[in-house]
Amino acid sequence: MFYANLKGHVEALLFINGDPVPAGQLAEILNVDKVNIEEIVAQLKEDMDTSERGLTIIKVAGGYQLCTKPELAAIVEKMAQVLDNKLSVPAMETLSIIAFKQPITKQEIENIRGVRVDRVLMKLIDRLLVKELGRKKVIGRPILYGTTEEFLKCFGLDNIEDLPLLPDAVYAE
Amino acid sequence: MFYANLKGHVEALLFINGDPVPAGQLAEILNVDKVNIEEIVAQLKEDMDTSERGLTIIKVAGGYQLCTKPELAAIVEKMAQVLDNKLSVPAMETLSIIAFKQPITKQEIENIRGVRVDRVLMKLIDRLLVKELGRKKVIGRPILYGTTEEFLKCFGLDNIEDLPLLPDAVYAE
Amino acid sequence: MLDYEIKLDAFEGPLDLLMHLIEKNKIDIYDIPIAVLTEQYIEYLDRFQEFNIEIASEFLVMAATLLQIKSRILLPKVKKTEDETDIEDELDPRQELIDRLLEYRRFKEVSEILDQLAEEQEKLFFRSPTLIPVQYLPPTNLDIQLLLEAFHSVLEANADHTSLVSREKFSVQDKMADIIFLLDKQAGTILFTDAFTRSGTKNEFITTFLALLELMKLKTVTIKQTQPFSPIYINRRSEE
């Protein structure tokens, strides 16, 4: 392959960056087209996945990110301080409503869940999974909420369109 | 080699740990002898160095650390470079004063522009367009500024003498 | 007896409790036997041992809603006049509740899918970014003509001053501002001599001295010298 020599470059750039790096940025730095980057990354990922490497590449939050292979989780956890970051059931439900219905107001979330969500919402904002998007143009101008880039990272989504389809077509508004 | 299957494990462990990891710690996590770790790392490093990888392993501060290959330093540095495409009007004006009047002190620039130029000057230095040339031999020994080679490149000049002559002799002090 | 240990917050809300009852009794969600459901729901509420007013109110509102739906079903249909067709009457009184339950169930299912996604993602480990100092590159494609124009505009803006009031290069006002600026930059204290180190012309020295006197008069600064020939300091008076 023509750009095979750039595989190492891409790997080094992803390594240094830590966070997801958009293909466009890699293309600019390496002075090639975005489509070339996609090819290089695909091949690099295949190299990694088919060999005894400990790392792989994922596409998340609009960029490529280097990470450890999922099958090594047990080993890596021995070293990493793994915090129990699991979201509670109410938090997860609230988050899914926001994810699919954004932008959405607190009142609208409460209508769906049937309970107050103030505390859960605060928690989601604290965890950087949800943010304010602006205000709805109705009486009272309530705050509209939506998901963040951190949300995409937590759920391994490249962008918000990657969310799984809602199970019930009846409600597809 | 017996422990070849642990190469990926070692790589993953070094990856998530930004700091050097002592062989003893790796041995403990992977449940092998320290000497095995040394062999695994040596082979992993050789794999990395002999292939088109962007990473390598160094032994530093009593441990092993994953890092980018030294020959990729120039590429990696590009990651942190920001291209500033436009100069603001104040920046352009200050730059023109420096270009035509160099070497010049900050105070002298301020006398001409009638405003403080500290921030603009910092920006021009950050953008590699202006540099310090030395100090003026007057009380306080203020810093003298002038243009850089980057400046010439940006304006398509061969050397500073290619700057157009000033039309008005009045201002040539 | 186990039933009596049921706690209100075991359910996330009235909808959660309703879903629990629907699943427990294998009720068809599209055809809810409202009387049975209402009865069981209220029975559950009665059994709740602890009664947190704030949480309970949400459950009570639902109980009221259920009772209302029940009564609307039991009421004989109002006879309509020929022209009038009351749309509300034609709707199943349960429909709104069914819609809410379906929507609630849908998000419960979705949250489980998201939960799995998060679990997959938690198997991946990342590394924190390496900090590389940001380096700004010079702009591209600058034109020498622009530079020249910029210089001309500077000269034009400056023309009046230089030709007419060239001797007023240093005004007392400017120097006062200068000294204050220096003081602010240096945490309120500068050396007396620092106030004078600029272009070094006699004109400027005089202006600076006048500016300093003015600042003292305004009680903006104080001058201190601990003993003869020791350094003189200018201090900014803190504003009380």
Side-chain angles (χ1 to χ4, degrees):
Chain A
M1 194 191 156
F2 189 56
Y3 287 115
N5 62 319
L6 291 184
K7 280 192 290 187
H9 293 58
V10 169
E11 187 183 28
L13 290 172
L14 295 182
F15 176 81
I16 287 297
N17 213 290
D19 288 323
V21 188
Q25 198 185 344
L26 292 171
E28 207 176 297
I29 292 170
L30 296 173
N31 207 16
V32 295
D33 286 339
K34 231 173 106 172
V35 62
N36 297 130
I37 292 295
E38 279 154 21
E39 280 171 29
I40 295 165
V41 169
Q43 219 189 317
L44 181 58
K45 183 176 162 57
E46 200 185 308
D47 291 354
M48 290 171 148
D49 290 349
T50 54
S51 67
E52 278 159 346
R53 303 252 345 232
L55 309 178
T56 186
I57 295 173
I58 54 164
K59 184 143 204 239
V60 68
Y64 296 111
Q65 191 171 18
L66 214 56
C67 62
T68 57
K69 283 184 178 169
E71 58 265 35
L72 296 177
I75 290 291
V76 173
E77 267 175 28
K78 283 192 188 173
M79 174 169 272
Q81 278 199 329
V82 181
L83 299 170
D84 192 15
N85 268 331
K86 253 187 130 34
L87 288 175
S88 64
V89 174
M92 199 57 138
E93 284 183 19
T94 306
L95 186 57
S96 15
I97 293 169
I98 296 172
F100 283 94
K101 295 262 191 177
Q102 60 187 314
I104 187 170
T105 68
K106 183 167 79 70
Q107 185 58 53
E108 288 161 352
I109 303 167
E110 287 176 349
N111 287 345
I112 295 174
R113 291 209 54 228
V115 289
R116 297 188 70 84
V117 296
D118 305 69
R119 277 179 54 192
V120 172
L121 198 55
M122 282 309 276
K123 202 169 137 189
L124 291 173
I125 291 169
D126 279 350
R127 297 260 315 245
L128 305 175
L129 294 168
V130 166
K131 65 179 177 192
E132 295 186 8
L133 292 179
R135 285 178 181 272
K136 190 165 184 172
K137 285 182 187 110
V138 295
I139 296 165
R141 296 182 44 76
I143 297 166
L144 288 164
Y145 297 93
T147 53
T148 62
E149 212 184 278
E150 186 62 27
F151 166 83
L152 295 177
K153 285 191 206 167
C154 276
F155 293 90
L157 303 169
D158 189 23
N159 60 60
I160 200 69
E161 277 80 48
D162 281 357
L163 277 176
L165 283 178
L166 284 178
D168 217 331
V170 176
Y171 296 100
E173 285 151 67
Chain B
M1 194 192 155
F2 190 56
Y3 287 116
N5 63 317
L6 291 184
K7 281 193 291 187
H9 294 58
V10 169
E11 187 182 28
L13 290 172
L14 294 181
F15 173 78
I16 58 151
N17 216 307
D19 297 320
V21 188
Q25 197 185 346
L26 292 170
E28 203 177 303
I29 292 170
L30 296 173
N31 207 16
V32 294
D33 286 340
K34 231 174 108 173
V35 63
N36 297 129
I37 292 294
E38 279 154 20
E39 280 169 31
I40 296 165
V41 170
Q43 217 189 319
L44 182 57
K45 183 176 161 57
E46 201 186 307
D47 290 354
M48 289 172 148
D49 291 348
T50 53
S51 68
E52 279 160 345
R53 302 252 346 231
L55 308 178
T56 185
I57 295 172
I58 50 167
K59 185 150 199 211
V60 64
Y64 298 111
Q65 189 172 14
L66 211 58
C67 63
T68 56
K69 283 186 178 168
E71 60 265 34
L72 296 177
I75 290 292
V76 168
E77 268 169 31
K78 272 197 179 176
M79 194 100 216
Q81 290 176 340
V82 181
L83 189 68
D84 204 11
N85 266 319
K86 263 206 151 142
L87 284 181
S88 63
V89 172
M92 193 60 136
E93 288 185 8
T94 304
L95 183 60
S96 72
I97 296 168
I98 296 171
F100 289 106
K101 297 261 193 178
Q102 60 188 314
I104 187 169
T105 68
K106 183 166 80 71
Q107 182 58 51
E108 288 161 353
I109 303 168
E110 286 176 351
N111 287 345
I112 295 173
R113 291 211 52 225
V115 287
R116 298 211 154 271
V117 296
D118 304 68
R119 277 181 53 191
V120 172
L121 198 54
M122 281 309 276
K123 196 174 149 180
L124 291 171
I125 292 168
D126 277 349
R127 273 31 164 205
L128 309 174
L129 293 167
V130 166
K131 64 178 178 193
E132 295 185 9
L133 292 179
R135 287 181 180 269
K136 191 165 183 173
K137 285 182 184 104
V138 295
I139 298 167
R141 297 185 42 77
I143 297 165
L144 287 163
Y145 297 94
T147 53
T148 62
E149 234 165 88
E150 289 296 336
F151 165 85
L152 296 177
K153 276 189 218 160
C154 284
F155 287 94
L157 302 172
D158 260 350
N159 57 62
I160 199 67
E161 276 78 48
D162 285 355
L163 274 179
L165 281 176
L166 288 179
D168 216 334
V170 175
Y171 299 103
E173 277 164 59
Chain C
M1 289 307 280
L2 257 175
D3 279 350
Y4 283 92
E5 281 167 25
I6 288 167
K7 288 182 178 171
L8 200 50
D9 52 16
F11 297 98
E12 277 171 45
L15 290 171
D16 198 33
L17 174 52
L18 282 178
M19 282 310 299
H20 168 75
L21 295 174
I22 286 166
E23 274 159 32
K24 203 178 104 182
N25 297 306
K26 298 196 172 75
I27 290 171
D28 175 6
I29 201 164
Y30 294 97
D31 187 19
I32 295 171
I34 206 79
V36 179
L37 194 65
T38 306
E39 195 181 305
Q40 289 201 8
Y41 182 88
I42 290 169
E43 201 179 304
Y44 255 89
L45 285 200
D46 286 343
R47 287 194 212 159
F48 288 143
Q49 289 297 289
E50 19 120 29
F51 220 74
N52 178 330
I53 291 287
E54 201 187 314
I55 301 176
S57 65
E58 291 160 351
F59 284 86
L60 292 176
V61 169
M62 179 57 74
T65 309
L66 288 171
L67 287 168
Q68 195 201 5
I69 296 170
K70 192 175 138 190
S71 63
R72 274 170 66 194
I73 290 172
L74 292 176
L75 278 177
K77 288 217 168 165
V78 184
K79 274 191 184 163
K80 288 165 221 151
T81 56
E82 283 133 45
D83 304 342
E84 269 180 321
T85 43
D86 193 334
I87 297 164
E88 250 188 71
D89 248 13
E90 283 174 7
L91 279 175
D92 187 335
R94 299 172 300 179
Q95 195 54 50
E96 202 193 321
L97 180 69
I98 291 170
D99 287 348
R100 283 190 71 187
L101 283 168
L102 283 173
E103 176 149 58
Y104 179 68
R105 188 175 70 175
R106 186 171 62 133
F107 281 109
K108 258 188 118 58
E109 283 166 15
V110 164
S111 78
E112 276 157 28
I113 298 171
L114 283 184
D115 211 23
Q116 283 162 18
L117 284 179
E119 212 167 281
E120 283 305 303
Q121 199 62 14
E122 274 162 25
K123 288 184 190 156
L124 308 180
F125 291 84
F126 305 91
R127 78 187 280 284
S128 18
T130 306
L131 291 176
I132 320 171
V134 176
Q135 195 190 336
Y136 292 98
L137 297 179
T140 48
N141 302 326
L142 289 177
D143 186 349
I144 195 69
Q145 203 54 40
L146 290 174
L147 192 72
L148 209 52
E149 278 166 24
F151 196 64
H152 279 301
S153 78
V154 170
L155 294 182
E156 270 161 35
N158 228 26
D160 308 355
H161 306 287
T162 40
S163 52
L164 290 172
V165 276
S166 59
R167 305 193 87 206
E168 283 270 343
K169 227 173 177 177
F170 306 99
S171 75
V172 175
Q173 206 85 80
D174 284 351
K175 270 295 157 194
M176 284 166 69
D178 259 13
I179 292 167
I180 301 274
F181 175 78
L182 279 173
L183 282 167
D184 286 346
K185 223 167 75 174
Q186 313 273 345
T189 304
I190 57 169
L191 270 170
F192 181 75
T193 48
D194 282 349
F196 291 88
T197 48
R198 287 289 163 133
S199 69
T201 61
K202 197 190 275 174
N203 197 329
E204 190 187 3
F205 269 63
I206 295 164
T207 319
T208 308
F209 198 68
L210 287 173
L212 208 50
L213 289 176
E214 189 65 25
L215 285 170
M216 285 167 72
K217 201 176 97 189
L218 292 170
K219 296 198 163 64
T220 316
V221 302
T222 55
I223 306 282
K224 226 177 233 164
Q225 187 180 33
T226 44
Q227 47 184 299
F229 305 113
S230 72
I232 305 169
Y233 287 98
I234 305 171
N235 290 307
R236 183 122 156 79
R237 284 171 67 119
S238 50
E239 288 145 67
E240 278 121 70

